Amino acid sequence: MIAGSTITQSATTSLGRAARELELRRGEFDLAVHLGCVRTLPDEGGGGRRVARAEIDRLRSEAGFPETLHERVKAVGTTEGAALMGMTTTRFTRLARLGLVVPVKFYLNRYRAIVWLYLAEELRQFAADEKHAPLMKGRTPEGLRGQLEEGVDLRPRNWRGRHLGFQLRQSEDPWARAAVVASLLDPAAVAEVARDPYERASLNRLRPDRASGAAPDSPSALIAERIMTADDPDEIRWLRADLRQTLSEAREDRPAPRPSVSSVPPMPATPGNRPPAPARTTDATDAPDVARSRRLLGWLRRRNADADLPTAP
């Protein structure tokens, strides 16, 4: 096993080094992995994921490297996206809220406002498609305009759907796949599906990192957490059904780990859980007590007889 692990390590490289060799910033590299532009492998030593040397060589040998790779993972905000599509930022935002263009990333700026990012390549393809011409200029169709007036905003939901696909493609273990689905539901919804506390512990331990770059429980972290948690009733129903399915597949693979009996600490003796004292048995050591009790009982009977009281049985 050691020899095999050595071969694997020498034939692969860490994600950080792969990003440098592919001339990508870490955010660009992570997006390239999510999009499937860069294929990764699980580390047999349990240290996360790695990139095969052959994969790096393949990408570096492509015509136009590194510009072509950069273009595939280029993400733009609303202003640049609107310019690419030849429309105002207002119209672009309307298309995004309606779910016609789907964000690929988001971050919070210093004012804690959500900044959505979109793949430039997808925006160019959308604008080039003739069937989208009525959406590019002129008055927004009445049905879509009505949705906007009702306050529809599908950007968070569409991002979650896309993010779910990213994570599932990177997850091969059945329990890890179930944890990916559970990570988009609030704890109460997860508990309704996974009633076993040990299963919930496994899902929580394996859930993908939801770090937002902000301090835990800070306002920015809470905003990011809200975006990452399903809130649409239809979406929640769909995710709950998906969690039931992935949990069933995980259980078939192996049960959730449970503590062994020997590892469970003894329960402290309290009035609520103290075991009953064993009943005493009469033996030679009890003889003095028995005799004393008999003498007392005889005295009580004599006293009661003298007082004309009922005799104790």
Side-chain angles (χ1 to χ4, degrees):
M1 181 173 292
I2 294 176
S5 176
T6 301
I7 292 173
T8 301
Q9 291 286 331
S10 64
T12 62
T13 186
S14 67
L15 300 184
R17 180 168 181 176
R20 292 192 297 272
E21 293 195 29
L22 293 174
E23 301 182 32
L24 294 173
R25 293 190 295 269
R26 188 54 192 262
E28 293 174 329
F29 177 82
D30 291 341
L31 185 54
V33 171
H34 287 162
L35 295 172
C37 299
V38 178
R39 297 187 293 262
T40 62
L41 300 169
D43 185 355
E44 293 184 0
R49 302 189 71 84
R50 297 176 67 84
V51 180
R53 295 295 323 173
E55 176 72 355
I56 296 175
D57 294 340
R58 178 185 70 83
L59 291 167
R60 290 181 61 87
S61 64
E62 288 182 347
F65 175 85
E67 288 77 13
T68 52
L69 183 56
H70 286 164
E71 283 300 311
R72 270 182 271 169
V73 299
K74 183 178 181 180
V76 298
T78 298
T79 301
E80 190 173 353
L84 279 175
M85 299 178 71
M87 61 177 61
T88 64
T89 56
T90 300
R91 181 178 291 271
F92 181 91
T93 301
R94 288 175 181 171
L95 295 180
R97 287 177 56 192
L98 290 166
L100 299 175
V101 292
V102 180
V104 71
K105 292 175 62 177
F106 78 89
Y107 68 90
L108 302 178
N109 64 17
R110 61 179 177 173
Y111 304 108
R112 297 177 190 155
I114 304 168
V115 179
W116 296 102
L117 299 177
Y118 308 82
L119 281 177
E121 186 175 21
E122 289 184 354
L123 299 182
R124 283 191 288 263
Q125 291 174 357
F126 184 97
D129 193 332
E130 293 183 359
K131 69 181 181 181
H132 296 150
L135 299 171
M136 302 292 291
K137 296 180 180 179
R139 190 172 176 82
T140 303
E142 183 176 352
L144 299 179
R145 192 165 62 250
Q147 294 181 46
L148 292 171
E149 291 172 355
E150 292 174 1
V152 68
D153 188 352
L154 297 178
R155 289 174 293 183
R157 177 175 179 172
N158 284 341
W159 175 84
R160 287 190 294 266
R162 191 165 206 167
H163 183 70
L164 178 63
F166 289 164
Q167 294 291 342
L168 288 176
R169 282 195 293 272
Q170 295 295 311
S171 305
E172 300 173 0
D173 176 77
W175 280 101
R177 293 177 65 83
V180 167
V181 180
S183 70
L184 297 181
L185 290 165
D186 65 42
V190 174
E192 290 176 359
V193 178
R195 298 184 179 274
D196 187 325
Y198 296 108
E199 290 185 348
R200 293 198 300 274
S202 290
L203 295 176
N204 189 58
R205 178 174 54 85
L206 295 170
R207 69 185 294 170
D209 184 15
R210 299 177 74 171
S212 61
D217 298 326
S218 66
S220 295
L222 295 177
I223 293 172
E225 185 76 10
R226 188 178 71 242
I227 295 172
M228 297 176 187
T229 303
D231 58 0
D232 180 83
D234 290 337
E235 181 187 10
I236 292 172
R237 282 193 292 270
W238 182 83
L239 287 171
R240 282 163 56 97
D242 200 18
L243 180 58
R244 289 192 188 95
Q245 177 62 34
T246 52
L247 260 181
S248 177
E249 294 170 357
R251 290 167 183 148
E252 291 178 1
D253 182 73
R254 67 185 186 278
R258 298 171 183 273
S260 61
V261 176
S262 60
S263 66
V264 178
M267 184 178 295
T270 64
N273 63 25
R274 183 181 292 115
R280 295 188 63 187
T281 59
T282 301
D283 55 21
T285 61
D286 295 323
D289 293 333
V290 173
R292 187 180 303 110
S293 297
R294 287 175 178 172
R295 288 195 299 271
L296 177 61
L297 182 58
W299 177 81
L300 288 171
R301 283 174 175 169
R302 289 192 299 272
R303 189 191 69 169
N304 291 342
D306 294 341
D308 195 20
L309 296 173
T311 304

